[in-house]
Amino acid sequence: MSTPAGGPDDAPDPESVDALAADLGAAGYTVAGIEALWERGAAETSTHPGAALRRGHRVPALRALADVEPDERPLATLVRCFVLGVPVASVDLAEALPGLGIDRAAALGLVNVEGALAAPRVDLRPYAFDDAAGRGEWWIASDPGELATGGALPEEYVLGVGGASMTLSGLLLQRSIATAFDLGTGCGIQAMHASRFSDRVIASDISERALRFARLNARLNGIDGVEFRLGSLYEPLGDERVDRIVSNPPFVITPRRDGVPAYDYRDGGMVGDAIVEAVVRGAADRLAPGGIAQLLGNWEYRRAGDDLADGLERVAGWAAEAGLEYWVVERERQDPSEYAETWIRDGGTRPGTPEFEDLHGAWLEDFASRAVESVGFGYVLLRRSVEGRAPVLARAERLHGPLGDVTGGLAAHLETCLAASDLVGALDDAALRALRLAVAEDVTEERHHWPGAEQPTVILLRQGGGFGRVVDAGTGLAALVGAADGDLPLGVLVDAIADLLEVDRAELWDELAPATRELVAGGMLRPVVA
């Protein structure tokens, strides 16, 4: 695998970076600006260029940019060069970057100038988002992807904003803190998000190349207060403790053998899921009391004879053994072959080639050596307990399938659920009986009947937002949720339902109390605090 040819200088000239930002803004190089070009292209060709790009095809986009209005030429040139990854006329790029100029663009490592043409050396595109601080939009530079290079990615490749990046940024809690640590910052995107809610951010990576991109991106978007450090795992922190750890670690499970590329952005250099275990266990010594870590990860389900080492339970075990509270959510599970196919293709090796089949065999052999039956993917939230407060958070759950209707990410939902879980987790049954609860606004009920039957065979409670939970509720729980409007204490409601159903009050309470705690922790019932 070759080293990428492009990328920013170690210490990009601040004045040049500022000039680049001014030129990009003046050209209307925004998500909305590019989308307007695609919409017009879709109207003219009945093919949406943006959708085709997401499938890995740029011809519709190139066609959409072939005939633009004169005032759109700078924007079209920037898109053609830095999004589509094709050379552009040097005079056109000079027109699009009048403040920076061609020479300084080359000095920054953005392009190679060869006579009349300027060839892109980076992927540079706008990225928009919403969070509790409002709407934001940045420009993110990274290495050109497979669409631009036309082949397998080099091992030192620095990824831009991908699906995992957006998933994690949407999960990040948005409460103000003093210090955050971004472990494995890559292009710097999570550190930039963390900076909106942190007085100070420390961002680390084992890749000098990644840190160069991260520094460029921070400067390009006017983000101060981020300190970049080179190193592995928690080493760059030394003995320092932080209030928040965020990590999209290189969690991909890759065979450790010759001939299998190990990409800096996704492969942690350890066997199996050991990198995720190291991040989870290591958080205990780096979080301040009450501090929270959030990360993505893979975990293996391993077969030992007739026994299966449950992957979700393994992650929970790592956290518990480290003395951390935890909330682990598994979102997906793949068999070894499907997993291997996904990540071999992600590296730019195409199916049907001898190279793909060799890598596929290496992956399956590696999984077989540990008797891996499947691989889980999901979200991990860890918390260091505050002295004097009993730990209450210990959740490990499988929530496969689509999310609910989530605006601006899952962060607000997580905040609500954490607060509710802390509240009910600290209550004994007597205090729980006194609690008033109201059903969340996004919860609906669904009943299934056999034809002609009076009583439903199944009652489902559906969550419209958050994780889109579906709870199979019995008659008693459904009645409780239906009556939960915040007016009466929980104990009073349960006793009234027991009388209505003609069942023992104590027995119904024993059934509904734990179910109620779960609904509160999942955001389907909300405490009403006077």
Side-chain angles (χ1 to χ4, degrees):
M1 292 290 172
S2 61
T3 300
D9 294 332
D10 186 41
D13 173 47
E15 291 186 3
S16 294
V17 178
D18 293 345
L20 172 62
D23 286 341
L24 295 177
Y29 195 54
T30 64
V31 171
I34 296 175
E35 187 60 30
L37 293 179
W38 298 159
E39 290 296 338
R40 189 177 62 199
E44 294 174 354
T45 67
S46 300
T47 298
H48 195 288
L53 272 177
R54 288 188 287 273
R55 296 192 301 269
H57 304 290
R58 63 185 175 189
V59 171
L62 288 169
R63 289 173 60 87
L65 300 177
D67 184 21
V68 297
E69 299 297 325
D71 62 344
E72 294 176 324
R73 276 172 40 194
L75 174 59
T77 297
L78 294 172
V79 173
R80 189 178 289 110
C81 184
F82 295 120
V83 175
L84 304 185
V86 299
V88 297
S90 298
V91 293
D92 290 342
L93 189 61
E95 179 188 7
L97 301 174
L100 178 64
I102 286 289
D103 290 341
R104 286 203 291 174
L108 277 178
L110 303 181
V111 293
N112 275 331
V113 180
E114 300 176 358
L117 290 179
R121 299 177 65 193
V122 301
D123 183 290
L124 173 62
R125 64 182 68 201
Y127 159 71
F129 60 91
D130 292 282
D131 60 21
R135 182 162 181 79
E137 185 156 356
W138 295 323
W139 296 291
I140 302 297
S142 63
D143 274 320
E146 181 193 351
L147 187 67
T149 64
L153 302 177
E155 294 183 11
E156 298 84 0
Y157 177 78
V158 177
L159 180 68
V161 179
S165 301
M166 291 188 286
T167 295
L168 183 57
S169 64
L171 291 167
L172 296 186
L173 301 182
Q174 296 167 13
R175 62 181 78 159
S176 296
I177 57 169
T179 305
F181 175 53
D182 178 13
L183 188 162
T185 193
C187 70
I189 187 63
Q190 303 305 332
M192 293 166 66
H193 276 291
S195 73
R196 289 168 67 84
F197 304 96
S198 310
D199 297 333
R200 172 175 173 246
V201 179
I202 302 166
S204 74
D205 207 286
I206 62 169
S207 166
E208 288 270 18
R209 182 179 185 80
L211 291 178
R212 291 199 295 271
F213 271 112
R215 291 188 186 98
L216 170 64
N217 288 327
R219 178 73 192 195
L220 183 60
N221 294 288
I223 295 174
D224 299 318
V226 180
E227 178 183 346
F228 297 100
R229 300 179 184 177
L230 181 69
S232 177
L233 293 172
Y234 294 103
E235 292 173 359
L237 276 183
D239 295 329
E240 191 170 356
R241 291 185 182 271
V242 297
D243 306 293
R244 180 73 43 77
I245 295 169
V246 54
S247 183
N248 181 11
F251 57 75
V252 176
I253 300 168
T254 304
R256 307 261 69 86
R257 52 170 273 187
D258 292 340
V260 177
Y263 296 103
D264 287 346
Y265 76 93
R266 73 179 204 190
D267 301 316
M270 298 185 183
V271 175
D273 51 21
I275 186 72
V276 176
E277 179 178 2
V279 176
V280 170
R281 291 185 184 275
D285 293 329
R286 297 298 183 270
L287 286 172
I292 288 176
Q294 292 180 269
L295 61 136
L296 305 180
N298 279 149
W299 38 84
E300 294 181 337
Y301 288 74
R302 298 173 180 171
R303 176 70 60 183
D306 293 332
D307 297 324
L308 179 68
D310 186 288
L312 195 58
E313 292 178 2
R314 292 176 65 237
V315 182
W318 301 335
E321 290 165 11
L324 293 166
E325 296 182 82
Y326 60 87
W327 183 5
V328 187
V329 178
E330 183 178 275
R331 295 290 297 143
E332 183 182 5
R333 194 167 161 188
Q334 293 181 305
D335 66 50
S337 182
E338 183 183 12
Y339 183 88
E341 293 162 19
T342 297
W343 291 109
I344 296 169
R345 184 66 191 92
D346 176 81
T349 301
R350 298 180 181 276
T353 63
E355 293 81 7
F356 189 98
E357 293 189 355
D358 287 345
L359 290 174
H360 200 177
W363 241 281
L364 295 183
E365 181 180 335
D366 178 63
F367 281 132
S369 71
R370 294 185 302 280
V372 175
E373 182 180 274
S374 58
V375 180
F377 165 80
Y379 320 146
V380 181
L381 185 148
L382 309 167
R383 183 170 64 186
R384 185 180 177 201
S385 299
V386 176
E387 187 175 352
R389 189 185 73 188
V392 297
L393 186 64
R395 296 176 63 85
E397 53 186 340
R398 293 179 180 85
L399 296 172
H400 298 183
L403 291 170
D405 183 11
V406 179
T407 302
L410 281 166
H413 179 71
L414 292 183
E415 289 276 18
T416 299
C417 290
L418 280 176
S421 182
D422 286 347
L423 175 64
V424 298
L427 300 180
D428 59 18
D429 270 14
L432 183 64
R433 287 183 64 87
L435 187 66
R436 297 171 189 267
L437 298 168
V439 63
E441 295 83 356
D442 63 343
V443 173
T444 57
E445 181 183 279
E446 178 181 313
R447 295 186 174 228
H448 295 259
H449 295 75
W450 289 112
E454 264 187 54
Q455 299 300 320
T457 55
V458 177
I459 304 175
L460 300 178
L461 301 175
R462 291 190 178 274
Q463 184 179 47
F467 285 108
R469 298 173 184 273
V470 179
V471 176
D472 189 350
T475 304
L477 185 59
L480 172 61
V481 171
D485 57 8
D487 288 342
L488 296 174
L490 179 61
V492 173
L493 286 179
V494 173
D495 288 347
I497 292 169
D499 293 343
L500 182 65
L501 298 178
E502 298 181 346
V503 298
D504 182 80
R505 289 183 172 185
E507 290 181 0
L508 186 62
W509 172 259
D510 289 342
E511 174 190 332
L512 296 187
T516 299
R517 292 180 186 274
E518 283 296 309
L519 291 184
V520 173
M524 299 180 77
L525 286 174
R526 296 182 178 172
V528 177
V529 181

